[in-house]
Amino acid sequence: MPLSETHPSSASRTRHTDAPPPGRTRIRFLIVALLFIVSTLNNADRAILSITGTEIKADLGISAITLGYLFSAFAWAYMLAQIPGGRLVDRFGAKRMYAISIFVWSLFTLLQGFVPLMGLGAAVAALFALRIGVGIAEGPAYPSNGRVVATWFPSSERATASAIFNSSQYAAAVVFTPFMAWLTHAHGWHSAYLVMGAIGMALSAVWLKFYDQPRKHRMANDAEIEYIADGGALVDIEEASSAPDAPKINTWEAIRQLLGSRMMLGLYAGQFFITTIVYFFLTWFPIYLIEELGMPLLDAGLAATIPAIFGFLGGILGGVLSDRLLTRGVSLTWARKIPIITGLTLSTVIVLCNFTTSQTVVILFMVLAFFGKGLGSLGWTIVSDTSPKEAAGLSGGLFNTFANAAGITTPIAIGYIVDTTGSYDGALIFVGVSAALAVCSFLFIMGKITRVELTPDRNGVRHA
């Protein structure tokens, strides 16, 4: 089946915001709910070391620098797994690859709960190795998210759908941070890994039961499939990529073309700096609350949820605002960029935390920074808008490779800053400057947003 994507006129885009006619299913909302639940667990499993890190430092006698390297072990593996993970998603589909990914990363999470049974030296090495395993296993996750959104959602709903799954990083903090902090406090840090791993292994079965492609989903009717296809959803992407006469992707040539696009380079750079902010929140933020502000573990777990709630709200608002601008005739480029630039500019207020010792004022500034970062988190929406139709998974994987390079640099850089200066002041400046550089990337490098087309027989596509 041929792939097709329309770019609706303003009137057509407005039609897609109308109430659905009687008889048209809305299974795409179940799909985005699944993405949100799975991504929430994904982010919780990444952040689990930040919750248990203080206890692990004391139990294993490691320094802030060593903890920084443990944080980065995940990111090294996760970054390197993005392109292979994206290609696997393109080849085998999101349903199969996502289920495998969820199960395997959850298994590695669970195994970290047995590390205390080893000696101190072996325990640190085992944690490092298992964090690498989690990173590799999560490789197909977010490329699958981008591909699923492009498959199931018309362009007029794509930003909202992407914002919902991307806001899972805040939902993870709200739902799981207090829960994991309680487990650590009540039953020891190993218990958090055992429980979270078991939850994820069960969730892989839920994904297999409820997810499928639009034309194969037993709960979606023809009216919904026609609606999303007319609005630009790539509903036939799975069938087209698996057809005998489907174009074959030369991975490295496709990557070369993507890297040759100024638009994509602006996106990659901007997302790198955004992800720097993300990894501060995922790794050092709870430890900052404990060590810099003197909060007890349980109080820090609860306090961390307050900015996260506003980050979640900002994330949803950013997607809704972007789609609303699009349906009202604003160009795709500015419908995406306006929330990004506004939100990330607001995130720079995190630097102001250095000028107060009040826990309340710090949390207030963090609320503003989280909200702004959430508002500007439309990178995956732009991936869905720009990815070549033949290589949506690969494009998402390349995007996430650049983004998660920040997962390597951020924990280590902050670890050295804290260990060298004995303060988090430099770390907050590092995060605030990253937000400003993200604004510059989207504003001055990216340019117009449009879908990349791979040139047959030249830039990455080989016909069978």
Side-chain angles (χ1 to χ4, degrees):
M1 297 182 183
L3 286 174
S4 63
E5 178 180 8
T6 59
H7 291 282
S9 65
S10 177
S12 176
R13 290 197 299 265
T14 302
R15 185 176 68 249
H16 275 268
T17 65
D18 295 338
R24 189 174 80 205
T25 56
R26 293 186 285 187
I27 299 306
R28 64 193 183 280
F29 300 130
L30 170 64
I31 299 302
V32 78
L34 280 174
L35 290 182
F36 175 76
I37 293 168
V38 172
S39 298
T40 298
L41 184 76
N42 180 297
N43 282 282
D45 285 345
R46 295 186 201 183
I48 191 170
L49 186 59
S50 69
I51 305 303
T52 59
T54 301
E55 298 295 321
I56 289 174
K57 278 177 65 180
D59 196 18
L60 303 183
I62 60 177
S63 68
I65 293 174
T66 301
L67 186 60
Y69 277 105
L70 283 173
F71 280 134
S72 72
F74 164 85
W76 276 102
Y78 185 62
M79 182 190 75
L80 294 174
Q82 290 305 299
I83 292 174
R87 288 297 291 127
L88 287 171
V89 172
D90 284 332
R91 182 172 180 180
F92 297 109
K95 180 174 183 175
R96 186 188 312 176
M97 287 311 305
Y98 217 161
I100 293 171
S101 176
I102 297 165
F103 184 87
V104 177
W105 96 55
S106 299
L107 175 62
F108 282 128
T109 299
L110 183 144
L111 290 175
Q112 290 172 74
F114 294 100
V115 164
L117 299 178
M118 304 177 180
L120 295 184
V124 174
L127 273 177
F128 193 85
L130 289 169
R131 293 286 294 176
I132 289 174
V134 173
I136 293 172
E138 287 193 10
Y142 269 70
S144 292
N145 286 352
R147 185 179 174 100
V148 168
V149 167
T151 301
W152 271 95
F153 286 86
S155 57
S156 61
E157 296 176 3
R158 202 171 284 159
T160 300
S162 296
I164 288 172
F165 82 69
N166 203 41
S167 66
S168 62
Q169 60 192 276
Y170 307 108
V174 173
V175 175
F176 285 110
T177 296
F179 177 60
M180 292 188 295
W182 174 78
L183 283 172
T184 301
H185 177 77
H187 302 289
W189 59 266
H190 70 285
S191 66
Y193 294 90
L194 297 174
V195 172
M196 296 299 293
I199 291 172
M201 294 168 74
L203 187 58
S204 65
V206 175
W207 174 264
L208 280 174
K209 181 175 176 62
F210 289 102
Y211 180 76
D212 216 329
Q213 306 162 42
R215 296 193 191 277
K216 291 184 177 181
H217 204 290
R218 66 186 185 281
M219 299 168 66
N221 64 13
D222 290 341
E224 179 174 21
I225 295 169
E226 180 182 1
Y227 168 77
I228 63 176
D230 287 348
L234 305 179
V235 296
D236 298 317
I237 192 171
E238 300 283 351
E239 292 87 345
S241 62
S242 61
D245 60 346
K248 307 301 180 183
I249 302 299
N250 182 321
T251 299
W252 296 111
E253 283 298 308
I255 289 173
R256 185 181 64 82
Q257 182 177 352
L258 290 168
L259 293 177
S261 165
R262 175 177 171 176
M263 174 188 69
M264 299 306 287
L265 289 178
L267 174 61
Y268 299 152
Q271 194 66 21
F272 171 84
F273 292 118
I274 290 175
T275 311
T276 296
I277 308 171
V278 171
Y279 271 96
F280 167 73
F281 291 145
L282 287 178
T283 57
W284 285 103
F285 178 52
I287 299 173
Y288 162 77
L289 295 177
I290 295 167
E291 295 185 348
E292 188 79 359
L293 300 186
M295 290 186 179
L297 174 62
L298 289 179
D299 290 350
L302 291 172
T305 66
I306 299 171
I309 290 169
F310 284 88
F312 174 83
L313 295 174
I316 300 299
L317 178 61
V320 171
L321 175 61
S322 179
D323 283 340
R324 184 67 58 86
L325 290 170
L326 190 64
T327 59
R328 293 192 174 184
V330 176
S331 70
L332 178 67
T333 297
W334 285 106
R336 303 310 190 212
K337 286 188 178 183
I338 287 172
I340 292 172
I341 292 167
T342 303
L344 294 174
T345 299
L346 181 59
S347 289
T348 61
V349 303
I350 195 171
V351 176
L352 298 180
C353 293
N354 289 339
F355 298 96
T356 181
T357 58
S358 167
Q359 293 181 359
T360 302
V361 175
V362 166
I363 294 300
L364 175 61
F365 286 141
M366 289 294 180
V367 162
L368 294 174
F370 268 61
F371 179 82
K373 191 271 163 188
L375 191 68
S377 295
L378 292 176
W380 279 105
T381 305
I382 298 176
V383 170
S384 295
D385 291 329
T386 60
S387 292
K389 300 169 188 176
E390 310 91 335
L394 175 63
S395 177
L398 185 60
F399 165 82
N400 223 21
T401 299
F402 279 87
N404 284 278
I408 298 168
T409 57
T410 304
I412 294 175
I414 292 177
Y416 274 103
I417 290 170
V418 172
D419 200 68
T420 302
T421 65
S423 168
Y424 283 82
D425 289 358
L428 297 183
I429 293 172
F430 176 78
V431 176
V433 169
S434 295
L437 290 173
V439 171
C440 293
S441 298
F442 285 105
L443 193 57
F444 301 117
I445 300 176
M446 173 175 268
K448 183 180 179 181
I449 296 174
T450 186
R451 189 168 299 282
V452 174
E453 295 185 3
L454 301 179
T455 304
D457 303 318
R458 178 171 178 169
N459 290 315
V461 183
R462 302 194 308 271
H463 291 283

